[in-house]
Amino acid sequence: MSDYIIECHNLETAYVASLNRPILNKINCQIKQGEFVVLLGLNGAGKSTLLRSLVGLVPLIRGEVRINGVATNTRTISQTRRDVGMLFQGGGLIPQLSAIENVLCGKLGARTTWQTIFGFPKRDRLLALELLEQLGLRELAYQKTSRLSGGQQQRVAIARALIQSPQILLADEPTTGLDVIAAQQVMDTLAQLHSQQGITIVTVLHDLGIAAKYAQSAIVLDAGRIVYQGACDNLQEIVISH
């Protein structure tokens, strides 16, 4: 059994004429169980594409992603997605639903159509409330998410990802559009999940200061290739030099 929870072997996406290259170009990397990793690079470097490729949201023309030693393909993708929670940029919530209903949406992948028709069992609702309470949102559980602040919405999105009990949490720019305090609350939440529950966290960030403060290691991309993987020391110099 591999020491790595995530392995990327020679990942390559389709050629993009406007870039004159594939978005991902021969990507090889490994992430250990329980690591907190940040993906860095300039706009267009391929950070979000790499993150999404881990759960089959980006078609690859060659290469292989392995999660927990299992190659991700059409046969295994539903199992893979049960192990992986995803935080999309801006939260990706349904604004007209309440916070608790949005959290419960995280259970849809594990339920049959018939189960969905009959609603969610009480234990799921109790778990959703418990997660919202842990994230300081218990009193807002029945509030429409459109009426919550950006930081509160992002924490609802975290609760939605956590309700499926993932081993891995992928976060695509979770602090975008948030003020300094809300961004810190969201990153503190991710850090807690990492330290207290041992969840493997992989996040795309733009802010090198936040990256250095929270992450254990960094993967820096440039023009679809990995130019650095290692400790978060001297990130400023590493990113600027590429």
Side-chain angles (χ1 to χ4, degrees):
M1 188 71 181
S2 170
D3 288 341
Y4 300 108
I5 194 168
I6 300 171
E7 299 169 85
C8 299
H9 300 291
N10 212 29
L11 305 190
E12 193 171 319
T13 53
Y15 183 85
V16 179
S18 60
L19 293 174
N20 206 25
R21 62 172 173 84
I23 296 178
L24 299 182
N25 194 359
K26 299 182 177 64
I27 291 283
N28 289 285
C29 61
Q30 294 87 29
I31 293 169
K32 288 180 179 174
Q33 165 81 49
E35 234 183 325
F36 193 136
V37 180
V38 61
L39 302 182
L40 297 167
L42 299 175
N43 285 338
K47 306 179 299 294
S48 293
T49 302
L50 174 56
L51 195 78
R52 287 164 176 260
S53 74
L54 302 180
V55 281
L57 294 175
V58 172
L60 299 169
I61 58 166
R62 63 177 57 88
E64 181 183 72
V65 175
R66 299 182 81 84
I67 304 285
N68 276 324
V70 177
T72 300
N73 54 43
T74 49
R75 197 169 39 81
T76 61
I77 194 68
S78 58
Q79 174 56 47
T80 298
R81 287 179 179 168
R82 280 199 284 275
D83 293 338
V84 182
M86 183 94 194
L87 270 183
F88 294 99
Q89 212 175 114
L93 301 175
I94 302 169
Q96 61 270 36
L97 294 185
S98 67
I100 188 170
E101 288 168 328
N102 268 286
V103 175
L104 286 165
C105 285
K107 276 284 188 185
L108 289 174
R111 296 174 63 74
T112 65
T113 308
W114 278 108
Q115 285 174 321
T116 306
I117 289 168
F118 292 112
F120 292 94
K122 189 177 179 183
R123 70 174 181 276
D124 285 352
R125 292 189 163 274
L126 289 173
L127 177 56
L129 278 175
E130 196 180 303
L131 287 167
L132 288 169
E133 185 161 4
Q134 285 172 19
L135 296 172
L137 298 169
R138 175 65 180 82
E139 73 284 2
L140 298 172
Y142 297 97
Q143 186 83 266
K144 280 188 179 180
T145 50
S146 57
R147 299 177 66 180
L148 303 182
S149 71
Q152 289 167 339
Q153 288 182 17
Q154 196 62 286
R155 281 182 283 154
V156 171
I158 291 171
R160 182 188 57 191
L162 292 180
I163 201 167
Q164 67 190 72
S165 302
Q167 297 175 39
I168 301 164
L169 186 59
L170 308 178
D172 192 1
E173 299 192 32
T175 59
T176 295
L178 302 183
D179 61 41
V180 174
I181 292 169
Q184 186 175 324
Q185 287 174 338
V186 167
M187 291 307 298
D188 284 346
T189 300
L190 296 181
Q192 268 184 324
L193 294 171
H194 171 252
S195 62
Q196 294 175 10
Q197 297 183 30
I199 293 177
T200 305
I201 307 238
V202 186
T203 182
V204 173
L205 290 175
H206 275 296
D207 188 309
L208 297 181
I210 291 178
K213 180 179 177 182
Y214 289 95
Q216 292 173 311
S217 60
I219 295 173
V220 180
L221 290 103
D222 182 44
R225 293 178 184 270
I226 290 175
V227 292
Y228 174 82
Q229 180 169 9
C232 290
D233 307 329
N234 304 319
L235 284 179
Q236 192 89 28
E237 289 172 33
I238 292 161
V239 172
I240 289 170
S241 67
H242 291 95

